[in-house]
Amino acid sequence: MYLGEAFMYFCYIISVTLLKWLGTTNYATQYFVNHGCTLQKNIDADKDGWDLCTDTPPADAKLWPSISNGHVGTVVHSDSVYMNGLYNGNGTTSTRARIPAFTSLDVINFAPDENVSTTYCLHMNSGIYEEIYRGDHWRVTVTMYAHRVFNRLLVTELTVATDGQQRTLTIPLKVNHGNQSSSVTLQDATSDVASANYKYGTILEAETPESGLTPVHVYYKTVPLDVTVDSGHSGTETLVFLMSVSTNQADAAFAFTKGRSLYLEGTLRSSHVTKWHEVWDTGRIDVIGNVTLASSVYSALYYITSAMPLQEDTVWPFVGLSPADLAHNGYNGHVFWDQDTWMYPPVLVLHGDLAPVLLNTRFRTLNASREFARRTGHSGAQYAWESAFTGLDVTPWPPAQDYEHHVTGDVALALRQYVMMAGDSPLLHDVHFRETVFAIAEFWKSRSVLNRSTGMYEIHNVMPPDEWHYPVNNSVYTNYVAKMALLLPHFLCDVIHCLAPPEFEQVAGKMYIPFDADKNYHPEYDGYTKNVSVKQGDGILLGFPLQLAMTSDVRRNDLEIYENTTGAGPAMTWGMFAIGWLELNQTDRAEGLFFRQLLNKYGAFNIWTEDADGGGVTNFITGQGGYLQSIIHGYGGVRPYADRLALHCRPVPGSTGISIVGLDYLGNSLDISCDDRITKVVRTSHGRQLYLYTSLTREIIPLRPGVPVDLPSQPLAISSYQTLKLPIGQFGVNVPVEIVG
């Protein structure tokens, strides 16, 4: 038996023994069985966790990493490029339109007597994928990235370094652009850009007659069949293959020309790397003392952030985050509640300046949502369960299209979270913000039905986030997120000094929220009984992210009941259970559920699948968003409220500490770090004056820029109010605070 095989067998025996001893519900151990030995054998993460490297290519092609920049994305070595907002198909046949990957290449078939070793690396801190082939006297490096500044560009660099002692070296290349696209009619045309090929065309079928056939313009540099270096030649040579994509020819031509100019200046790669470093410097999560967990966090941040642009696009709008990032066509590239509920919150906390980019995807489609509400017989704005370019509903599964209406409340929840984190910012005064808030409230007012016998408003015939049960009446999640949406106009107007129609609050005040007083828990919907299995425990989302104030007994009962009845579940449901148990200081219960999420993470490049068995869509950034929330809102204890930001920082299991770098709150940036004894808070930028409230000593400490505050581990609160009336004992999650000054 080879040494590597012996090591793997040893890992397997130890892991199975631990499983039998600890029981199959110990998901930390199960994660070790599924991934631990492979990680130790194949993955060489650097000491900080930023590099994911392996000497073995993925056995399954879907486990190659994504490179994206919010406008274009591709999976390494795939034959497809996808562009944000480019869809083909009418209505429910809408799907992302494939563009051939004209500059995707493989290095293949070196001479049999060459002694070649290969390393495959994703460098997340620089957004660069790299392959290095090493011979006795030469090195070939293939570098791929989606440019972070000039986001029309995909870049492939081929670098050959020789020491002069090599014989004639021929590097065979295989181009992976695959067959002609079946969704875009690309044809050759005379290029107006030197050294570039040019193709143009349109999608085959418009989403609606009004939206038209979207044009596509592509410039690219042809990849040769091989590259040869003469014997005796020493030095380094680099070939660069650019591909630019846009709906506008001048835009695509400019990007290609600019990329070539930057390359000649020697700044093509460095400008890309610098921008990625700026992203990480302004917001990230560091896990201390556990490189494997650190790399899991960085990769989740990398895949989500790379799928979105860093600013608004003046040529072609950003349509939103899809559950399977920008480089895949999972769920046809459509936008769901996944963006608002799962991926948006980590972006809001760590990159408050990017949060409006996601909110604008909902402002842009407000008129389409008004039209969708009209078609369904309601007032206001109803957001589609699945949307593509126009914002109208393109859901191919009729039950979700007909019943899964909670997404309209999820959009309002994202807006509410922005108000709490950003405060009275310029975006709140944008007419689109206010119009969206009011239109959503109007929808829920028209969607609610008064039960004249109880005097309460109800919402009938819906599909909860638990998609196994529909149609049902009074989904507890749907009703409460609707209530929050109805209260949002008044909440917003308190900040920006506007007037909200009183009927929104009147309906909200009488919204029926299912509760079983005998069993002291929240039934998922009318008629639900405790032994009914569910797809995901959406009843526990009342505690977080909806932050319904409830007693610890009710919170515990909700968690117990739904943990016992939740099936295989999407990964993010386990993160929400972990958050709930951490609220109750049940750290052992939280730990197993925290690690259970990671059963969805596969391969050297930390690719998440929708299902823990590797099935479903790839790369599932929805699950990665839930995972990041389990750290930020679970182990970080971060909770936004109208009057404060609550925190209770604790190390992630298996680590010695965590740091939330660049938490954005009320115009300030904060660094929050902790180990098992000390929590440190540093205000790193100027904004509204903030005060730190302690729960152990009842102190009020002004936070001054650049001056760290070290405290024993405890629940804390940060507020712009100098005087808060805090409850005795722990204050933090789901505890009201009265402002007295």
Side-chain angles (χ1 to χ4, degrees):
M1 183 181 291
Y2 293 112
L3 179 60
E5 292 174 334
F7 173 74
M8 293 295 287
Y9 181 72
F10 172 75
C11 280
Y12 174 78
I13 294 298
I14 293 298
S15 301
V16 171
T17 302
L18 284 170
L19 271 178
K20 290 180 177 178
W21 179 48
L22 292 171
T24 57
T25 58
N26 189 299
Y27 295 103
T29 309
Q30 182 67 58
Y31 175 70
F32 178 70
V33 172
N34 287 358
H35 302 275
C37 299
T38 302
L39 284 168
Q40 293 182 43
K41 180 175 185 289
N42 289 332
I43 294 182
D44 176 24
D46 72 336
K47 63 183 177 64
D48 297 320
W50 285 106
D51 296 333
L52 295 175
C53 299
T54 177
D55 58 6
T56 305
D60 190 334
K62 74 179 185 179
L63 299 183
W64 288 108
S66 302
I67 52 172
S68 305
N69 58 21
H71 180 73
V72 288
T74 187
V75 175
V76 168
H77 295 301
S78 79
D79 66 358
S80 303
V81 170
Y82 293 108
M83 189 186 85
N84 153 64
L86 187 66
Y87 298 92
N88 181 67
N90 185 339
T92 59
T93 67
S94 162
T95 186
R96 270 194 176 136
R98 172 184 169 269
I99 300 170
F102 293 113
T103 56
S104 175
L105 60 85
D106 290 340
V107 176
I108 57 171
N109 300 327
F110 283 103
D113 55 346
E114 287 282 1
N115 181 26
V116 181
S117 63
T118 310
T119 304
Y120 309 84
C121 288
L122 177 63
H123 304 294
M124 295 177 290
N125 64 336
S126 58
I128 285 177
Y129 173 78
E130 186 176 63
E131 291 179 0
I132 302 177
Y133 302 81
R134 298 178 180 86
D136 292 335
H137 300 286
W138 54 267
R139 184 177 71 250
V140 174
T141 304
V142 179
T143 305
M144 306 176 195
Y145 52 97
H147 206 281
R148 207 60 175 113
V149 180
F150 298 96
N151 66 2
R152 274 53 176 162
L153 284 176
L154 288 169
V155 183
T156 301
E157 300 175 4
L158 177 68
T159 302
V160 184
T162 54
D163 65 5
Q165 301 182 52
Q166 82 288 348
R167 59 190 177 182
T168 298
L169 175 66
T170 299
I171 307 160
L173 302 176
K174 175 187 174 185
V175 183
N176 299 321
H177 60 70
N179 297 324
Q180 184 70 266
S181 173
S182 62
S183 52
V184 179
T185 60
L186 288 178
Q187 52 188 303
D188 293 315
T190 302
S191 176
D192 56 344
V193 176
S195 73
N197 297 291
Y198 169 56
K199 291 180 182 287
Y200 78 95
T202 67
I203 60 171
L204 294 176
E205 187 177 21
E207 183 181 325
T208 67
E210 295 76 19
S211 63
L213 298 176
T214 308
V216 181
H217 300 271
V218 181
Y219 289 85
Y220 66 97
K221 176 73 177 292
T222 301
V223 177
L225 295 177
D226 58 57
V227 174
T228 300
V229 179
D230 293 336
S231 63
H233 175 81
S234 65
T236 301
E237 295 185 13
T238 299
L239 299 175
V240 174
F241 307 101
L242 303 177
M243 177 176 173
S244 66
V245 182
S246 179
T247 57
N248 178 279
Q249 183 179 1
D251 187 44
F254 171 80
F256 188 95
T257 304
K258 184 65 177 181
R260 185 178 58 193
S261 174
L262 291 174
Y263 169 66
L264 294 174
E265 295 170 5
T267 58
L268 179 63
R269 188 189 300 194
S270 63
S271 59
H272 165 81
V273 171
T274 297
K275 182 56 69 173
W276 263 114
H277 286 177
E278 289 176 6
V279 171
W280 297 125
D281 287 345
T282 56
R284 67 180 189 274
I285 304 168
D286 296 327
V287 177
I288 314 302
N290 189 318
V291 172
T292 300
L293 283 177
S295 71
S296 296
V297 174
Y298 292 145
S299 61
L301 285 167
Y302 164 77
Y303 287 124
I304 291 174
T305 309
S306 65
M308 59 181 295
L310 299 180
Q311 59 188 14
E312 288 300 321
D313 196 314
T314 58
V315 175
W316 183 247
F318 180 60
V319 303
L321 293 174
S322 176
D325 77 26
L326 181 55
H328 295 81
N329 193 31
Y331 285 118
N332 301 311
H334 293 166
V335 180
F336 295 69
W337 78 311
D338 302 52
Q339 171 183 273
D340 312 281
T341 304
W342 301 108
M343 286 96 86
Y344 165 82
V347 173
L348 174 63
V349 170
L350 298 173
H351 296 286
D353 59 324
L354 300 185
V357 173
L358 298 181
L359 295 180
N360 279 329
T361 67
R362 298 306 193 177
F363 301 155
R364 185 185 72 85
T365 58
L366 176 60
N367 286 338
S369 301
R370 292 184 192 274
E371 172 61 18
F372 185 45
R374 186 192 66 78
R375 292 180 185 180
T376 59
H378 299 107
S379 304
Q382 177 182 358
Y383 281 86
W385 177 243
E386 297 184 35
S387 59
F389 179 74
T390 68
L392 293 172
D393 197 288
V394 292
T395 309
W397 184 40
Q401 183 183 64
D402 294 340
Y403 302 120
E404 201 152 8
H405 297 168
H406 65 81
V407 60
T408 304
D410 302 320
V411 174
L413 176 63
L415 295 168
R416 182 184 185 89
Q417 290 168 337
Y418 184 83
V419 175
M420 292 188 291
M421 292 295 290
D424 190 3
S425 69
L427 182 61
L428 267 61
H429 295 269
D430 187 304
V431 64
H432 297 100
F433 198 106
R434 185 168 65 255
E435 284 185 353
T436 304
V437 167
F438 279 50
I440 289 174
E442 182 63 37
F443 166 76
W444 286 115
K445 182 170 75 74
S446 73
R447 186 67 177 80
S448 304
V449 177
L450 179 64
N451 183 328
R452 299 194 179 279
S453 64
T454 64
M456 303 295 287
Y457 283 94
E458 300 182 351
I459 301 175
H460 298 162
N461 295 318
V462 298
M463 176 186 288
D466 166 26
E467 294 174 332
W468 288 357
H469 300 98
Y470 65 88
V472 298
N473 293 340
N474 295 317
S475 151
V476 70
Y477 178 88
T478 303
N479 283 26
Y480 194 69
V481 82
K483 177 175 181 174
M484 294 180 71
L486 286 160
L487 291 172
L488 183 55
H490 183 78
F491 182 66
L492 173 64
C493 286
D494 276 350
V495 177
I496 65 172
H497 308 297
C498 61
L499 293 176
E503 57 264 28
F504 293 153
E505 279 193 296
Q506 291 167 5
V507 175
K510 295 182 179 180
M511 181 62 69
Y512 169 59
I513 307 300
F515 181 73
D516 187 325
D518 293 333
K519 298 181 176 63
N520 208 26
Y521 87 109
H522 292 96
E524 187 182 277
Y525 51 83
D526 281 357
Y528 178 81
T529 56
K530 293 197 303 180
N531 60 343
V532 174
S533 296
V534 299
K535 179 181 178 181
Q536 60 179 304
D538 62 43
I540 70 163
L541 301 180
L542 293 175
F544 186 84
L546 302 190
Q547 299 184 179
L548 170 64
M550 64 184 78
T551 67
S552 58
D553 286 342
V554 172
R555 183 68 160 136
R556 182 178 294 104
N557 289 340
D558 285 349
L559 291 165
E560 289 277 9
I561 289 167
Y562 292 113
E563 188 178 336
N564 290 333
T565 56
T566 298
M572 58 276 190
T573 199
W574 308 121
M576 294 300 107
F577 276 109
I579 289 172
W581 287 118
L582 286 168
E583 288 177 10
L584 300 175
N585 289 315
Q586 299 292 308
T587 54
D588 290 343
R589 302 262 329 236
E591 180 175 339
L593 294 158
F594 171 76
F595 279 107
R596 185 168 182 176
Q597 301 172 92
L598 293 176
L599 298 181
N600 292 61
K601 180 170 71 72
Y602 281 87
F605 302 112
N606 292 352
I607 301 299
W608 283 57
T609 59
E610 184 178 15
D611 302 327
D613 63 3
V617 302
T618 308
N619 180 20
F620 193 49
I621 58 174
T622 301
Q624 295 176 55
Y627 174 58
L628 293 174
Q629 290 192 55
S630 71
I631 298 172
I632 296 170
H633 304 294
Y635 289 98
V638 175
R639 293 288 191 287
Y641 293 93
D643 52 11
R644 73 201 187 281
L645 186 73
L647 329 161
H648 187 187
C649 189
R650 289 169 280 192
V652 171
S655 74
T656 57
I658 61 172
S659 291
I660 302 174
V661 179
L663 185 154
D664 294 322
Y665 182 59
L666 300 184
N668 293 275
S669 186
L670 303 164
D671 291 349
I672 299 163
S673 58
C674 63
D675 55 24
D676 58 0
R677 299 180 300 107
I678 299 295
T679 297
K680 175 182 288 188
V681 179
V682 185
R683 180 181 168 204
T684 59
S685 68
H686 293 269
R688 193 182 307 180
Q689 175 60 51
L690 299 177
Y691 301 90
L692 182 66
Y693 290 77
T694 71
S695 60
L696 292 180
T697 56
R698 314 289 291 171
E699 295 178 84
I700 303 173
I701 304 170
L703 288 175
R704 308 195 185 283
V707 180
V709 177
D710 291 6
L711 295 165
S713 180
Q714 62 188 291
L716 302 168
I718 296 173
S719 178
S720 61
Y721 295 99
Q722 191 170 2
T723 305
L724 296 177
K725 182 178 180 182
L726 300 172
I728 301 299
Q730 177 178 341
F731 62 90
V733 298
N734 297 332
V735 178
V737 176
E738 181 184 346
I739 302 169
V740 296

